[in-house]
Every structure is written in structure tokens, then in C-alpha cells.
Amino acid sequence: QAGLVGHDSERGVLVAIDPADGGAQALSGQPLPALRSLSVDAAGGRVAALSADGTRLWSGPLEGHGLLDESALDGPADDVVHLDGIIYLRRGRQLTGLDPAVAPIELAGDVARLASGGADTPLLALAPTGDAVVGYGLDGRERARWPLAAGDHVI
């Protein structure tokens, strides 16, 4: 229900962003340090936030008055992403669940950033060169590619 969710690095809080005008409203919850990656499970109303150095993870209800659970990770992760309510960490091409019983996913290609997608392409990634968004299936294979014409803009 929060719509777009982001992290206000100046105030250290999660914010709901209005897509119409870009305005940001602080969500209730604890302040967080600088983040490398943020994932929202919209259906479950949960959030996962990865520290800037990739070694700590906060997870829990998206908006609440309690503290998010904090976990120290075994080695730095590149991204955090929700898939069907399960939190995955990306390290290179490999996605592993926080629960060791969750089967890992090996992506067919390198990615710069990773996010949850839709039904046909549950994983969306920015290509390492920044020239395309790539859709992956849960089997890790590429299903779609959308070229980006960035012009003078950095993605």
C-alpha cells in the first residue's frame, strides 16, 4: 500500500514515494544506515534491507513500530530480493535463500543490480554494461531483454 518505497539516506528512514510528484513520506519504523539494496514484498507487506557493505540484513514488516530483525551475513552480498515471500541474497550470479533449505538459483549471466519482477520474468536485472534490463526466470535463464538508450544519462 506504500506504493514505491525508498530509503532517505539523509534521514536514514524508509519512505513511501508518490509516483505522481516524487514526494516522499516517512514510514514508521527504525532508522537504517546507508543501504546497498532494498527489497519489498508488496503482497506480504515486508521489507528487506542490505547494508552498504553487504554484510548485514534487516527484515520484517514494511511499516511497524517494532524493530526489524537484524542478521549478520556470512560474507558480503550484492543484492537482496523477495521471490514469492522468500528473501534471497545475490552474490555474483548465485541467489541463495536465508533459509538453507531454499534451493539456490544460478543466473545465466552477470548482472549489475537485481530486483523482483512479474509473473513471466520474476527477476529483473540491470546488465553489467547498463545498456539493458534483463528478465530472468526462476530457473536462472534469460527470458527477455529490453535495450536501454541512456543517451547522456547514467543508469
Side-chain angles (χ1 to χ4, degrees), residues 21-126:
D21 65 8
Q25 177 79 24
L27 296 171
S28 64
Q30 73 199 69
L32 296 171
L35 299 178
R36 174 179 289 188
S37 181
L38 178 67
S39 177
V40 174
D41 174 15
R46 301 188 61 81
V47 65
L50 183 65
S51 65
D53 66 1
T55 63
R56 290 182 298 157
L57 180 77
W58 293 270
S59 60
L62 176 59
E63 193 169 3
H65 300 289
L67 296 176
L68 296 174
D69 294 330
E70 183 177 352
S71 305
L73 303 177
D74 296 332
D78 300 314
D79 285 304
V80 62
V81 63
H82 281 91
L83 292 173
D84 294 329
I86 299 172
I87 297 173
Y88 284 84
L89 298 168
R90 179 183 70 85
R91 292 178 175 97
R93 289 185 180 189
Q94 180 134 40
L95 278 71
T96 54
L98 285 182
D99 179 351
V102 173
I105 298 171
E106 184 77 23
L107 298 176
D110 293 330
V111 302
R113 304 301 286 155
L114 187 69
S116 300
D120 293 336
T121 52
L123 293 164
L124 294 175
L126 179 63

Side-chain angles (χ1 to χ4, degrees), residues 131-133 145-149:
D131 63 349
V133 171
R145 180 176 285 264
W146 300 277
L148 296 173

